[in-house]
Amino acid sequence: MLHLRRRILISAIAALAAVPASAGEIVHRTEYKVSLGILTIARAAFLTKIEDDKSYRVSGDISSAGLADLVTDISAKTSVDGTLSGDRLQASRYYLYYKSGKRARTYEVHYSNGNITSTTVKPPRRQPKNWINVSPSDMHSVLDPISGLIFPGDTNVCAQKLPIYDGEMRMDLVLSPKGSEDFSTDGFNGKATVCNVRFVPRSGYKKGRTDIEYLRKSNRMEIWFAKADAANVYAPVYVRIPTQYGPVTITAVKYGAS
């Protein structure tokens, strides 16, 4: 459960950070806290940079905090590079370095027009006999886990099926409407659009894993989107992920340009 949960958490935190800057801005900074119940277990900070040629880079650092530091030292560095194509962020490279205690692993994915061209995992993961391999069809028309959750301002955000690939697992996140909620943080105060999220594993995982089955059967995962008016996009400001240990939440504590 811990491995899948940490990967999903890192992907979700990174997605929260990928808000493109408005035309007059170069850098956008976002900050988040991750909680298990009422306990803060991690913090994150990200920078988004957009160049004049419409290329972009999102980079971030994530580290354990609070009581989690007493159990193990967890840290991650992640980034995505790509270009702005119309109102969409099209990734060309996704990178994740994750370290827990003395164990570390690196994921690197290259994309071309939304299709996966290469994946590198170091050190390679041993695949058991009941491993579901990522098929060639699952490598087409996919999104990276960072900029895949950013939508133009006129999008019906809760009517999306998001084909996500994180360097190992290929999953669909199926969004459906759940109303709206008030949300306030540094840089934003207003209504957030709430989407229910159905987690659909497709490939790149061990068949029969209890953690994946738990998340697949749950109907309590949700994402709140807020509109960044300056950039005219919707981006997540709150994520709730059910786990067997209780709900994990990711909350934006800063949502605005630096």
Side-chain angles (χ1 to χ4, degrees), residues 56 80-83 85 89-94 108-119 136 138-144 147 165:
Y56 70 87
V80 61
D81 298 277
T83 57
S85 178
L89 283 73
Q90 181 66 65
S92 58
R93 173 184 177 268
Y94 165 72
E108 185 170 354
V109 183
H110 289 265
Y111 305 82
S112 178
N113 297 320
N115 300 322
I116 302 167
T117 58
S118 67
T119 299
D138 277 346
M139 303 177 78
H140 294 284
S141 300
V142 298
L143 301 170
D144 72 277
S147 52
Y165 178 68

Side-chain angles (χ1 to χ4, degrees), residues 53-227:
D53 62 357
K54 293 188 177 182
S55 63
Y56 70 87
R57 178 178 178 84
V58 183
S59 57
D61 291 279
I62 305 164
S63 60
S64 54
L67 292 178
D69 272 337
L70 301 178
V71 179
T72 185
D73 178 29
I74 299 173
S75 62
K77 293 182 180 295
T78 186
S79 64
V80 61
D81 298 277
T83 57
L84 293 171
S85 178
D87 290 323
R88 294 298 296 162
L89 283 73
Q90 181 66 65
S92 58
R93 173 184 177 268
Y94 165 72
Y95 171 85
L96 170 65
Y97 170 81
Y98 172 77
K99 186 174 185 294
S100 177
K102 296 182 179 179
R103 297 183 178 182
R105 180 162 276 115
T106 300
Y107 300 85
E108 185 170 354
V109 183
H110 289 265
Y111 305 82
S112 178
N113 297 320
N115 300 322
I116 302 167
T117 58
S118 67
T119 299
T120 303
V121 181
K122 296 181 180 179
R125 184 178 298 281
R126 294 181 180 179
Q127 297 182 353
K129 292 182 180 180
N130 54 347
W131 184 264
I132 301 177
N133 290 316
V134 179
S135 66
S137 61
D138 277 346
M139 303 177 78
H140 294 284
S141 300
V142 298
L143 301 170
D144 72 277
I146 296 183
S147 52
L149 287 174
I150 309 302
F151 304 106
D154 59 352
T155 301
N156 184 355
V157 294
C158 293
Q160 305 291 322
K161 179 180 179 181
L162 308 177
I164 304 292
Y165 178 68
D166 69 358
E168 182 170 285
M169 176 180 282
R170 171 68 172 81
M171 68 194 86
D172 287 337
L173 300 181
V174 184
L175 310 186
S176 58
K178 199 176 179 179
S180 63
E181 294 284 351
D182 293 326
F183 184 83
S184 180
T185 192
D186 182 8
F188 180 86
N189 184 19
K191 288 288 186 180
T193 300
V194 181
C195 304
N196 187 67
V197 182
R198 184 163 58 91
F199 170 76
V200 182
R202 291 177 61 97
S203 54
Y205 68 96
K206 180 181 176 181
K207 186 177 181 179
R209 278 181 51 173
T210 57
D211 54 347
I212 293 178
E213 287 302 304
Y214 181 88
L215 195 56
R216 182 182 67 82
K217 294 177 181 178
S218 175
N219 61 357
R220 293 177 288 115
M221 185 175 178
E222 61 186 41
I223 303 177
W224 298 14
F225 291 89
K227 189 174 183 180

